[in-house]
Amino acid sequence: MVTLPGTVSRAAEALRERVPPLTALPLPRGVDERWLRSRWPVKELATPPAGSGLKPVLGDEGPPLVGHMLEMMRFGTAFGLRRHELYGPVSWTGGFGRRIVALSGPEATQIALVNKDKAFSQEGWKFFIEKFFERGLMLMDFGEHHLHRRIMQEAFTRPRLAGYVGEMGPALREGVAGWGSGRPRLYWALKQLTLDVATRVFMGMPSGDDAARVNRAFVSSVRAGTALVRVPVPGGRWSAGLHGRKVLERHFGQTLPAKRRSGGDDLFAALCQATTEDGDRFSDTDVVNHMIFLMMAAHDTTTITSSAMAYYLAKHPQWQERARAESLALGDDLPDIAALDKLETLDLVMKEALRLVAPVPSLARKTVKDTEVLGHYIPAGTLVGVSPTVNHFAPECWTDPFAFDPERFAEPRREDKAHRMAWMPFGGGAHKCIGLHFGSLEVKLLMHELLRAYRWSVPESYTARWDYVSLPVPADGLPVQLTPR
């Protein structure tokens, strides 16, 4: 029997593939510029303690009720850069009915992510995604986070990664080969492919109706975190996310006992079996929570990164041909990790795409005690957003930062070494992404298959517009001309 929430969710998903959200609808350039550069009364976040010598954090509420949420979603990186221009590396803005402190620039972000005085907690993520990704690794703090990360690391050892690559290879080759020629909206094709691979490699689950249901539940859960209406209104993103979470809990809970007994090469089995040298293991509830979180973290970032790479390779065909030559040189065998390491051009392009379109544009934190950043007073209980995207365009770190230039990551330039936090698509500090090597391997393997099978292009006048309603995605789905080789 089909439930109403599931039916509404599928209808909304189908509509979303064809119609961009209201925040991404095209407007005259002059209107966008006036909107982005609009000014509001400047206020202090809080008065610094007397005699502290600290400065207040300055910012503004933005428009009544909605604050700056619409600008954040419409302008993404440009909004962050504009706030940095107006207020510097420490400011606050109104959004989601809260005052949110923004930390941008390498020095400010390093203070929060290294977190020497343990003032910045992962509690910030709970405001956005706890309802949908309860007790995922990213939501844990300090000692508990360290313990869970040690256990989870057993699922990301090099032998495990080699096994995942072996499982992904045939699925990606088969999926890419099935696209054919034409003008697909490449983002949606990549999203479906990475979801299919995730269900097979993460869960050992074949494609079919059950896999499609699980995939829809993940999509709904991911989009719910930045819903404007944060109550379960039928048809709304919040409601769809809550329904999606229940579907995922039920699926993993029912499947887990068999995974505990029989093991396997997939990530789900790896988490069930993971044991540290001290004998620490995950409980059943832990495994379910971590699987739901890891599926979200892996598949969305993979889709965004591969979409950004495909876009820039379409805009810069000389780089596409250079990368293709390296892929063809590997021959027809499915590549293993050692072979993927030889794809140096894809590695450079991937790093540059991650710089230009960071898959996670803001990292949420919450202060658990009064603290200061670069001489600015931030009281306890403040919601904080750490911004990788501003760092990725910092002129003190990057030459011509808005240009596509993968060579900036090659020796001897290595502009990413200008500062510890110059390039941080995977975060930093104790919470740096545990699956960064897995994700990088999947993206390179996917792009390798795409390069072997097709050439693709976009019109010279085409510029992708990225929709930041949740994570950055091309608002039009990235239509490309796809031609089999």
Side-chain angles (χ1 to χ4, degrees):
M1 178 173 156
V2 179
T3 62
L4 178 60
T7 303
V8 174
S9 175
R10 286 193 294 276
E13 182 183 344
L15 182 65
R16 191 162 59 243
E17 291 188 19
R18 293 165 176 79
V19 181
L22 293 176
T23 52
L25 291 176
L27 291 173
R29 183 175 178 180
V31 173
D32 268 342
E33 288 180 352
R34 286 195 298 274
W35 187 0
L36 181 60
R37 303 191 74 82
S38 59
R39 300 293 300 270
W40 299 89
V42 178
K43 301 176 183 178
E44 296 181 357
L45 173 72
T47 302
S52 67
L54 297 177
K55 297 173 287 187
V57 177
L58 301 180
D60 63 80
E61 298 277 7
L65 300 179
V66 297
H68 285 290
M69 286 190 296
L70 296 181
E71 292 104 309
M72 294 178 200
M73 293 175 181
R74 182 171 184 83
F75 299 112
T77 298
F79 176 79
L81 290 169
R82 172 61 175 161
R83 301 295 286 186
H84 187 86
E85 174 191 344
L86 281 175
Y87 296 112
V90 186
S91 66
W92 71 268
T93 188
F96 301 100
R98 303 283 295 272
R99 288 185 170 186
I100 305 171
V101 166
L103 302 182
S104 56
E107 297 299 329
T109 56
Q110 178 168 292
I111 290 170
L113 296 185
V114 173
N115 199 18
K116 286 183 178 179
D117 64 353
K118 292 184 168 54
F120 295 91
S121 161
Q122 299 298 109
E123 290 279 332
W125 283 115
K126 294 184 178 182
F127 175 78
F128 294 101
I129 64 173
E130 183 178 31
K131 294 285 187 182
F132 318 104
F133 299 101
E134 181 181 359
R135 292 192 57 73
L137 188 66
M138 192 168 67
L139 280 70
M140 293 181 171
D141 273 308
F142 311 125
E144 183 182 45
H145 167 258
H146 179 68
L147 173 61
H148 279 247
R149 190 179 179 98
R150 280 185 60 224
I151 301 171
M152 191 177 293
Q153 194 64 55
E154 296 300 310
F156 291 100
T157 62
R158 190 165 178 87
R160 282 285 188 182
L161 291 175
Y164 302 149
V165 167
E167 291 291 321
M168 286 190 288
L172 288 169
R173 181 162 292 186
E174 177 186 345
V176 167
W179 288 348
S181 60
R183 284 188 57 81
R185 296 183 183 271
L186 193 59
Y187 168 79
W188 294 108
L190 289 168
K191 187 172 185 66
Q192 186 58 56
L193 178 57
T194 56
L195 277 168
D196 290 343
V197 170
T199 53
R200 291 168 67 170
V201 176
F202 275 43
M203 297 184 287
M205 184 179 185
S207 300
D209 290 343
D210 284 347
R213 178 173 54 84
V214 170
N215 289 347
R216 284 194 300 272
F218 277 116
V219 172
S220 297
S221 297
V222 170
R223 288 184 61 83
T226 54
L228 299 180
V229 180
R230 304 176 78 80
V231 292
V233 177
R237 282 195 283 137
W238 194 264
S239 177
L242 294 174
H243 174 71
R245 170 75 193 196
K246 291 179 181 177
V247 170
L248 297 174
E249 285 180 347
R250 187 163 54 248
H251 170 78
F252 287 120
Q254 292 171 349
T255 312
L256 189 144
K259 291 289 182 183
R260 287 278 201 207
R261 289 192 303 270
S262 61
D265 295 327
D266 54 90
L267 181 64
F268 193 3
L271 290 183
C272 288
Q273 304 298 322
T275 307
T276 68
E277 293 179 355
D278 299 326
D280 294 312
R281 303 183 70 191
F282 287 138
S283 69
D284 287 359
T285 301
D286 290 334
V287 172
V288 170
N289 288 331
H290 287 315
M291 275 301 300
I292 293 174
F293 170 75
L294 286 171
M295 281 288 289
M296 175 274 292
H299 118 261
D300 263 326
T301 54
T302 298
T303 306
I304 293 164
T305 304
S306 56
S307 296
M309 290 175 70
Y311 167 64
Y312 287 110
L313 289 175
K315 292 288 286 184
H316 301 274
Q318 72 277 17
W319 277 95
Q320 187 180 148
E321 292 304 323
R322 176 173 158 177
R324 180 174 291 108
E326 290 183 5
S327 283
L328 294 177
L330 294 184
D332 293 333
D333 292 340
L334 289 166
D336 57 13
I337 291 182
L340 292 175
D341 286 341
K342 296 177 182 178
L343 301 179
E344 295 178 0
T345 297
L346 267 184
D347 195 56
L348 296 177
V349 171
M350 178 170 61
K351 288 176 178 176
E352 180 70 335
L354 285 166
R355 184 185 72 85
L356 292 166
V357 186
V360 183
S362 182
L363 308 173
R365 298 290 188 269
K366 187 177 182 179
T367 53
V368 293
K369 59 183 178 181
D370 291 359
T371 189
E372 63 94 11
V373 175
L374 302 181
H376 294 271
Y377 169 66
I378 305 176
T382 301
L383 195 61
V384 176
V386 180
S387 175
T389 56
V390 173
N391 298 16
H392 289 183
F393 293 89
E396 64 269 29
C397 297
W398 307 98
T399 303
D400 195 6
F402 291 93
F404 175 76
D405 180 10
E407 290 286 2
R408 69 174 80 246
F409 288 93
E411 300 293 352
R413 286 173 64 185
R414 290 307 303 268
E415 293 182 5
D416 55 309
K417 298 295 186 181
H419 190 282
R420 183 178 179 182
M421 296 293 169
W423 186 73
M424 45 181 290
F426 303 105
H431 284 271
K432 191 171 184 177
C433 176
I434 194 171
L436 69 91
H437 297 299
F438 174 91
S440 297
L441 289 167
E442 182 178 2
V443 168
K444 288 180 75 171
L445 189 54
L446 192 164
M447 297 305 297
H448 166 75
E449 294 300 330
L450 190 58
L451 287 162
R452 289 180 73 256
Y454 303 98
R455 283 185 170 85
W456 64 95
S457 61
V458 293
E460 189 173 344
S461 61
Y462 175 78
T463 300
R465 182 182 184 90
W466 298 91
D467 156 31
Y468 285 84
V469 167
S470 52
L471 301 178
V473 302
D476 59 2
L478 188 59
V480 302
Q481 181 61 52
L482 200 62
T483 305
R485 285 186 59 254

